[in-house]
Amino acid sequence: MGTEYPVEQRVLEKAAFATRSFDHTEQFIQNLFPVDIRYSLSIDCEVKQNGFRDKMLSTILRDRQILKHNKQLKFFISETDCPEPYDIYWKVRNVGPVAESKNCIRGQIEKTNLHTHREHTDFQGSHYVECYLVKNNICVARAHISVPIGVA
């Protein structure tokens, strides 16, 4: 059998003088489907903003840069060797104190069956997006990309 998806990670943050309250909405693929990674999957993202040249998120990450606010993001499946048919699921996870203070950590896994997923850079944090391919009710491929968003 293929590689199993890692055990869910729990991050506990302690505030010095205040307790943050937010909804724990994150889902984990292994809680929805059996996981048997048999195929490769790569995702990337086209980053757009009026007045600026479009850039790929993979290039931004390679150059160790971070995104600013007001960017339009178009995530897409750049490569897979998984034969169709399959279902496509996307997960957007916001991370950090700003996401928590706005009660917007997200992390739900949504079936879209679309090869693209659109988002927007709204607030600072080390966010990420994941994509999953599901065949016969088994997750057979997964991909992850970091989305570091800096101060406006």
Side-chain angles (χ1 to χ4, degrees):
M1 276 197 147
T3 307
E4 274 197 30
Y5 188 82
V7 175
E8 61 189 72
Q9 298 174 349
R10 292 191 174 103
V11 177
L12 301 175
E13 292 185 1
K14 293 182 180 180
F17 301 103
T19 302
R20 293 186 195 119
S21 177
F22 58 92
D23 295 328
H24 294 274
T25 55
E26 186 172 13
Q27 295 177 313
F28 300 92
I29 195 67
Q30 69 270 20
N31 294 337
L32 301 175
F33 299 101
V35 176
D36 183 11
I37 303 301
R38 298 175 182 205
Y39 302 102
S40 65
L41 174 63
S42 298
I43 59 175
D44 206 339
C45 177
E46 183 179 52
V47 179
K48 290 184 170 203
Q49 181 176 356
N50 290 339
F52 293 91
R53 224 180 261 183
D54 295 353
K55 207 169 193 181
M56 300 306 293
L57 181 54
S58 57
T59 302
I60 292 168
L61 294 172
R62 184 192 68 222
D63 295 343
R64 298 179 187 240
Q65 297 174 334
I66 59 173
L67 299 170
K68 299 292 184 190
H69 293 260
N70 300 318
K71 305 274 188 194
Q72 297 154 20
L73 306 175
K74 180 181 173 186
F75 295 91
F76 60 92
I77 295 174
S78 58
E79 188 177 333
T80 186
D81 60 355
C82 184
E84 293 192 37
Y86 49 74
D87 290 319
I88 302 170
Y89 290 76
W90 291 93
K91 173 179 176 175
V92 176
R93 176 74 160 99
N94 296 329
V95 178
V98 176
E100 292 172 6
S101 71
K102 293 182 180 237
N103 195 23
C104 191
I105 65 167
R106 298 173 65 188
Q108 299 90 341
I109 297 173
E110 299 177 10
K111 178 181 177 182
T112 67
N113 282 344
L114 298 174
H115 286 80
T116 62
H117 181 81
R118 294 184 184 271
E119 288 289 327
H120 191 266
T121 58
D122 290 328
F123 49 86
Q124 180 181 356
S126 298
H127 315 301
Y128 64 86
V129 170
E130 292 183 332
C131 183
Y132 312 97
L133 302 184
V134 176
K135 279 179 83 71
N136 302 318
N137 288 319
I138 298 171
C139 177
V140 296
R142 77 173 276 279
H144 174 102
I145 192 166
S146 297
V147 186
I149 303 172
V151 179

